[in-house]
Amino acid sequence: MQLTGATVVVADPHDPTLDHTSPLVFRDGLVHDGPATPDDGDALDVSGCVVTPGLVNAHHHLLQTGFRTLPGTRGVAMRDWLPAMAAAYGAAGIDPSLVAATTAAGVAEGLLSGVTTVADHHLNWPAGATPEDTVAIADAIASAARALGGRLVYVRGSARDDPDAAAASAHAIAAHLLAGGHRGGVTDDGMLQFAVGPAGVHSDAEATFRLLGGIAREWGLRRRTQANEQVDTEIALERYGRRPLDLLEDWGWLEPGVTIAHLCDVTDAEIARLAHAGVTATHAPGCDVPMGWGVAPVRRLLEAGLTVGLGTSGGGSNDAGHLLADARLAMQVSGLVGQQLEARTVLAMATTGSADGLGRPDLGRLTPGSRADACVWDVSGVADAGVADPVAGLLWASPGRRPRHVIVGGEVVVRDYVLVSGDERAIVAALAARLG
Ligand SMILES: [Zn+2]
């Protein structure tokens, strides 16, 4: 297919010189270098629209999509938030039917707001689950995302799991999802990636980090964790007399291939260590701000040379999976911790930054050879009237903006603001029915 008539195509948010207006051609699921031929099929007229790469949500907890605005989880300390969420999971019962319903809702919400790839850091498992039980859960999540045509990075997380059980489960899930031994933990079509990651040093001890690190080495997987939320630092100091990054370094988790979410309370010396170690970061202000954890010093992270992506985190803290809304929030609050971030910088975080942290240079850009994942944003309405820079306006103007069309791998999954790869009402009804 090809897109014609765009106001601007942002091929790489980092590099305005690559912006263009000429047709954008998708062939065999990739951005094609060169003109369209009749074989490329119908053109989609996107006059009055800005085209960007599909957004990459680098940090979500899709299970929490079923547990938003829960009483007892707002304006409370993390030590009260955790048991409130755990009680809700326990009452619902985590099983394949629940995660299929929450994943469908979360992925559909993401696609409708321009998120073509989502990293699901899945932390919660039923008590006493066997590796086979966890494979069934992972399979239900991967299948639900695939059915809707959204790309998924499934992260086998851990939160106080038995270390050996977590490792056995991660191994079994890798063998199942990556049957055939795909390189770097990504399936050949790029629709599914597998990664591992404990929730953080506040929840899991050295053995879990070591064992999951070993699985990552064995399978060539990326590693994800969370650090330096206030609670993380408090618990690390209380339990070990050390700061989280000291522990992660000792436990072999300050290395290339590791991405750390949150990083709110981080010193200049720690930022230098992260940069030196080749670690990447994920900013999640839509979680950090309402949880009262503060604002990560994104400009200082970027200036130190870190790759920084953007994530929403889960519905238990950020009740929306709308990454562009959080890009706007990231810009708005950045001035509180130094000089304000530019719109293009934050758009780059939500695309190339997230993708690079996942080890996915095929995502987050619309340069030739990249995956054909794109958002078409209609900027012809009154909310964009008077906007001087339509790319900056994507973030600054029209809060809650949604894309008119969304394309994943060259397939239209949202057309004229409607999900075409699934039935939105049926997804809502299925989750409501499962939650009773
Ligand atoms: Zn999180």
Side-chain angles (χ1 to χ4, degrees):
M1 71 178 300
Q2 59 171 320
L3 308 183
T4 58
T7 301
V8 56
V9 174
V10 180
D12 181 343
H14 273 302
D15 188 352
T17 68
L18 297 178
D19 287 5
H20 62 85
T21 58
S22 55
L24 183 61
V25 180
F26 299 142
R27 189 179 293 172
D28 300 330
L30 304 176
V31 178
H32 178 64
D33 191 9
T37 67
D39 287 349
D40 289 313
D42 291 346
L44 186 60
D45 181 357
V46 295
S47 300
C49 299
V50 173
V51 181
T52 68
L55 307 181
V56 181
N57 186 349
H59 185 68
H60 202 322
H61 309 285
L62 288 173
L63 174 65
Q64 294 175 14
T65 303
F67 305 91
R68 305 195 252 196
T69 72
L70 265 190
T73 63
R74 288 301 172 276
V76 300
M78 189 75 169
R79 66 178 167 277
D80 300 319
W81 182 92
L82 282 169
M85 293 297 292
Y89 301 148
I94 297 172
D95 67 7
S97 70
L98 177 66
V99 298
T102 51
T103 301
V107 169
E109 180 194 17
L111 290 172
L112 284 162
S113 52
V115 173
T116 52
T117 302
V118 60
D120 176 23
H121 198 169
H122 184 116
L123 299 171
N124 305 92
W125 307 90
T130 65
E132 294 71 31
D133 294 337
T134 67
V135 167
I137 287 170
D139 187 73
I141 291 168
S143 301
R146 187 176 281 276
L148 289 169
R151 292 189 201 276
L152 176 76
V153 181
Y154 182 65
V155 187
R156 200 296 177 192
S158 165
R160 286 167 292 279
D161 293 9
D162 172 76
D164 293 311
S169 160
H171 190 86
I173 294 171
H176 177 76
L177 295 183
L178 304 173
H182 300 282
R183 260 191 343 147
V186 184
T187 57
D188 290 339
D189 61 1
M191 293 303 292
L192 177 64
Q193 179 174 354
F194 181 55
V196 290
V201 302
H202 59 273
S203 67
D204 293 278
E206 178 172 0
T208 305
F209 281 87
R210 293 264 179 222
L211 287 167
L212 291 183
I215 303 267
R217 263 192 305 283
E218 183 184 340
W219 288 84
L221 309 176
R222 306 295 286 195
R223 291 182 278 164
R224 328 272 304 168
T225 190
Q226 311 177 108
N228 293 48
E229 312 97 308
Q230 281 173 356
V231 62
D232 188 58
T233 310
E234 275 168 26
I235 291 175
L237 286 170
E238 191 181 290
R239 199 175 291 162
Y240 303 97
R242 310 187 61 197
R243 286 179 58 87
L245 299 186
D246 299 329
L247 297 166
L248 288 176
E249 184 159 39
D250 278 5
W251 299 350
W253 273 65
L254 282 198
E255 291 183 358
V258 173
T259 301
I260 302 178
H262 302 299
L263 288 174
C264 299
D265 161 34
V266 65
T267 67
D268 281 339
E270 288 175 329
I271 291 172
R273 275 165 71 194
L274 290 167
H276 181 73
V279 167
T280 60
T282 303
H283 184 35
C287 165
D288 301 337
V289 170
M291 292 298 279
W293 294 340
V295 178
V298 173
R299 185 173 288 280
R300 285 191 284 137
L301 293 168
L302 291 168
E303 283 175 356
L306 269 90
T307 294
V308 182
L310 194 69
T312 57
S313 203
S317 57
N318 176 354
D319 302 81
H322 192 309
L323 196 66
L324 193 75
D326 288 5
R328 186 172 194 269
L329 176 66
M331 263 183 344
Q332 290 175 317
V333 298
S334 61
L336 301 173
V337 290
Q339 201 200 333
Q340 192 163 59
L341 297 166
E342 298 79 13
R344 274 194 96 104
T345 301
V346 180
L347 182 61
M349 288 163 55
T351 52
T352 55
S354 290
D356 292 349
L358 290 163
R360 297 295 299 277
D362 57 326
L363 303 179
R365 57 268 283 168
L366 290 170
T367 46
S370 304
R371 302 277 182 190
D373 299 357
C375 295
V376 178
W377 311 91
D378 191 332
V379 295
S380 65
V382 71
D384 291 285
V387 163
D389 174 348
V391 178
L394 288 181
L395 279 73
W396 281 119
S398 194
R401 178 193 301 278
R402 282 168 40 162
R404 179 172 199 125
H405 312 301
V406 180
I407 295 155
V408 182
E411 303 289 331
V412 177
V413 291
V414 172
R415 188 184 291 270
D416 290 321
Y417 304 102
V418 175
L419 187 70
V420 294
S421 58
D423 180 339
E424 183 179 352
R425 296 292 146 208
I427 290 166
V428 174
L431 179 57
R434 175 58 183 78
L435 291 172

